[in-house]
Amino acid sequence: DSAGIATARQGLRITGGGLDVVGVSTFNNNIMLGDDDRVIFGDGGLSDAHVRYDGSHLQFGVASGTFRVSSDGVSFVNYAGTETLAAFNNNGSNDLYYDNTKRFETTSTGAKVTGDLDVTGNIDVADNVRIKLGTGDDMSIWHDGTTTKFSDSGPVLFYGTSFTVQSPSAENIFVGTQNSSVDLYYDNSKKFETTNTGTKVTGDLEVTANVSVAGTITYENVANVDAIGISTARAGLRIT
């Protein structure tokens, strides 16, 4: 019980009341605090800021204002100091790591991801901003506000057992199926298709130039045929 200056050769323990120090305090050894004991900052006590260890985690509490760290560089590492978790560099990149491998970093032009990017929502890209593919940005996909465009410096290949082009209202425009037909539509109605023997047209076939046929032309359910040469019919042939 002392009023004034208290000194001790092997530590000083203060209970009740606390220690009120005016001026600079110099400690030549550790400051030991028990679990859930706090170091409190600010005139408002716990309503301002504090640091405590709850027995499992070190916690920073800032009830008023923001938590700011001022430095030209900040790094977070594991307890052993052997692996980097995150690094923030003044006038440089901000880096995030996984198992001591950098996976995300900011750059002077945006950001860079090393590895896969798993997205569970939409990827929104503004008009005339391109998604570029290939080491040399060989392929580009973009929307100019009206039309979606593809550009590539080489051939474009699509791999799949089927390929379909539809309108926004789900009407077929083109359907291609592996080991089967390729179909072309008009207003969602199939008009042209490939078959195992050739092609089939549903409706009229208008040709504006010569047609050379090295084989047989078969007409089914056709009332009139305008032909020069030999024509055959299954159920009669009318010549006018």
Side-chain angles (χ1 to χ4, degrees):
D1 186 2
S2 174
I5 299 175
T7 62
R9 293 179 178 176
Q10 292 187 339
L12 177 64
R13 181 179 184 184
I14 301 173
T15 59
L19 174 65
D20 187 2
V21 178
V22 178
V24 178
S25 298
T26 301
F27 300 91
N28 294 320
N29 211 323
N30 299 324
I31 300 175
M32 305 295 293
L33 299 177
D35 289 348
D36 288 316
D37 288 338
R38 291 172 169 83
V39 178
I40 300 173
F41 304 91
D43 295 336
L46 287 176
S47 61
D48 285 339
H50 67 273
V51 179
R52 72 185 178 99
Y53 183 76
D54 64 6
S56 299
H57 308 286
L58 180 65
Q59 300 182 11
F60 295 83
V62 181
S64 177
T66 59
F67 181 74
R68 299 178 60 184
V69 177
S70 299
S71 175
D72 286 337
V74 177
S75 295
F76 293 89
V77 299
N78 65 346
Y79 183 75
T82 57
E83 295 188 1
T84 300
L85 309 178
F88 306 95
N89 306 291
N90 185 37
N91 298 324
S93 65
N94 295 325
D95 309 326
L96 300 179
Y97 290 74
Y98 180 90
D99 195 18
N100 206 38
T101 298
K102 186 191 298 184
R103 292 303 185 188
F104 180 88
E105 61 185 293
T106 59
T107 68
S108 59
T109 57
K112 177 181 178 182
V113 174
T114 302
D116 297 333
L117 178 63
D118 187 1
V119 180
T120 59
N122 297 325
I123 299 178
D124 295 327
V125 180
D127 289 344
N128 292 308
V129 176
R130 303 189 181 203
I131 298 175
K132 297 182 178 181
L133 306 174
T135 302
D137 295 337
D138 301 306
M139 181 177 181
S140 298
I141 305 173
W142 74 100
H143 186 76
D144 63 7
T146 304
T147 307
T148 299
K149 299 180 179 181
F150 296 81
S151 175
D152 194 280
S153 59
V156 178
L157 301 176
F158 295 89
Y159 292 93
T161 56
S162 65
F163 182 75
T164 301
V165 178
Q166 291 186 329
S167 68
S169 58
E171 291 187 355
N172 284 336
I173 299 173
F174 172 93
V175 177
T177 306
Q178 180 181 350
N179 299 326
S180 187
S181 65
V182 174
D183 308 327
L184 300 179
Y185 290 75
Y186 179 89
D187 194 18
N188 206 37
S189 177
K190 186 192 297 184
K191 296 301 183 182
F192 180 90
E193 61 186 292
T194 60
T195 68
N196 63 335
T197 58
T199 61
K200 178 181 178 181
V201 176
T202 302
D204 298 334
L205 176 62
E206 181 179 348
V207 182
T208 60
N210 297 327
V211 177
S212 177
V213 178
T216 303
I217 298 178
T218 302
Y219 305 91
E220 296 182 358
N221 301 320
V222 177
N224 298 299
V225 176
D226 185 3
I228 298 176
I230 299 175
S231 298
T232 61
R234 292 178 179 175
L237 179 65
R238 179 182 180 185
I239 301 175
T240 59

